[in-house]
Amino acid sequence: MNNRYNKLGIKQTIQKHWMDYTLNMLLAGLSEKEIRSELDTYLSTQKQSGGIGERGQKTYGMAISILSSWISPEKELIPFRDKALNLAKVIPDSEWLPLHWAVISASYPFWFNTAKQTGRLFNLQEKITKAQVFNRLKECYGDRETVSRNARYTVRSFVAWGILQDTETKGVYTKANPFMIDNPQQAILLFEAYLHTLPEAKAELGSIIHNPGFFPFQMQSMTGEYIAQNSDFLEVSRYSLDNEILKLKNN
């Protein structure tokens, strides 16, 4: 099995403006080597908290690994990354958050799985704790300290992106207002990203559209036929009167 499905890899808090900076360089036509050089300088002054200050290469190098979801994804994800890049060219940068979410989720399924457990908890209660998220992830990945550590950085990234909100009690969070997605291509990109997190690369349509991992977003309803007609990477099949399966082509 591809190691991508099992790796953790979120080894520090990721700020959204780092993702914006990386994507802007890609759109400007810089090469991978040039972007990595620019990030090496830029991130040496960027703290995980979002502030400014000196950092060691060992710590900010971990951030570059995650930003590489845009720069140099795995070979199988390059067409998907290119689709996200083309979409970024025609929408304002204020609408890039779903694109960043998609490329990180595809490259690091742990990111999406953390969101899925977070969303499930919000379906049950208005406030959640980091311990609740960590415990659910340990059921999936094993009771290891590295799971809690990577989950902590992922949750703090959600806060940094404005997806979760801190409360007066440390380690307790509320859900922010959802990011409204009006462009169906952004929603379809998120659906494709989710399928890239699954080794089988397919899922029932309802479980995709209503997946708790999409809790940060509010999207319009759409049929499987519409999704498949508007994606070069997805195909739909019906297995009963009311149920459809979406899957990635060539999988």
Side-chain angles (χ1 to χ4, degrees), residues 184-195:
Q185 283 300 324
Q186 289 178 281
I188 291 171
L189 188 79
L190 288 171
F191 299 156
E192 291 172 356
Y194 169 56
L195 293 178

Side-chain angles (χ1 to χ4, degrees), residues 5 30-31 50 54 59 66 68-69 97 102 105-106 122 182 195 224 242-243 245:
Y5 304 113
L30 274 66
S31 67
E54 287 190 23
T59 56
I66 300 170
S68 292
S69 302
L97 189 149
S105 293
F122 277 127
D182 297 319
L195 293 178
D242 299 317
N243 294 299
I245 292 286

Side-chain angles (χ1 to χ4, degrees), residues 83 184-186 188-189 192 222-234 249:
K83 177 178 178 177
Q185 283 300 324
Q186 289 178 281
I188 291 171
L189 188 79
E192 291 172 356
M222 57 185 81
T223 65
E225 181 180 5
Y226 177 86
I227 294 170
Q229 288 177 346
N230 287 274
S231 171
D232 293 331
F233 301 133
L234 295 177
K249 292 180 180 179

Side-chain angles (χ1 to χ4, degrees), residues 38-191:
E38 286 290 332
L39 285 174
D40 203 52
T41 301
Y42 175 69
L43 291 177
S44 68
T45 67
Q46 302 291 311
K47 291 186 175 182
Q48 292 187 63
S49 63
I52 304 297
E54 287 190 23
R55 298 180 67 195
Q57 197 279 336
K58 184 176 180 179
T59 56
Y60 70 73
M62 297 176 185
I64 293 178
S65 296
I66 300 170
L67 298 175
S68 292
S69 302
W70 275 115
I71 308 166
S72 56
E74 293 187 25
K75 184 177 180 180
E76 66 189 77
L77 293 176
I78 290 176
F80 174 76
R81 185 281 314 271
D82 289 346
K83 177 178 178 177
L85 188 60
N86 288 332
L87 190 52
K89 294 176 182 178
V90 297
I91 63 175
D93 56 10
S94 61
E95 297 180 14
W96 283 356
L97 189 149
L99 309 187
H100 297 322
W101 188 272
V103 296
I104 291 184
S105 293
S107 291
Y108 291 88
F110 182 79
W111 176 281
F112 186 86
N113 288 332
T114 302
K116 182 166 65 175
Q117 300 306 331
T118 302
R120 281 177 174 169
L121 287 165
F122 277 127
N123 286 339
L124 301 173
Q125 56 205 60
E126 292 185 358
K127 294 182 180 181
I128 67 170
T129 70
K130 64 180 182 182
Q132 290 173 322
V133 178
F134 298 174
N135 288 337
R136 285 180 171 235
L137 285 167
K138 286 179 179 179
E139 293 176 2
C140 303
Y141 290 91
D143 189 1
R144 296 176 286 154
E145 173 59 29
T146 51
V147 174
S148 294
R149 188 182 310 118
N150 281 260
R152 181 169 66 251
Y153 289 132
T154 307
V155 168
R156 291 313 303 173
S157 297
F158 293 172
V159 175
W161 289 30
I163 290 164
L164 292 182
Q165 294 179 334
D166 288 316
T167 66
E168 294 180 354
T169 305
K170 185 177 180 180
V172 178
Y173 309 100
T174 58
K175 183 168 57 173
N177 291 330
F179 185 100
M180 303 296 295
I181 295 181
D182 297 319
N183 185 335
Q185 283 300 324
Q186 289 178 281
I188 291 171
L189 188 79
L190 288 171
F191 299 156

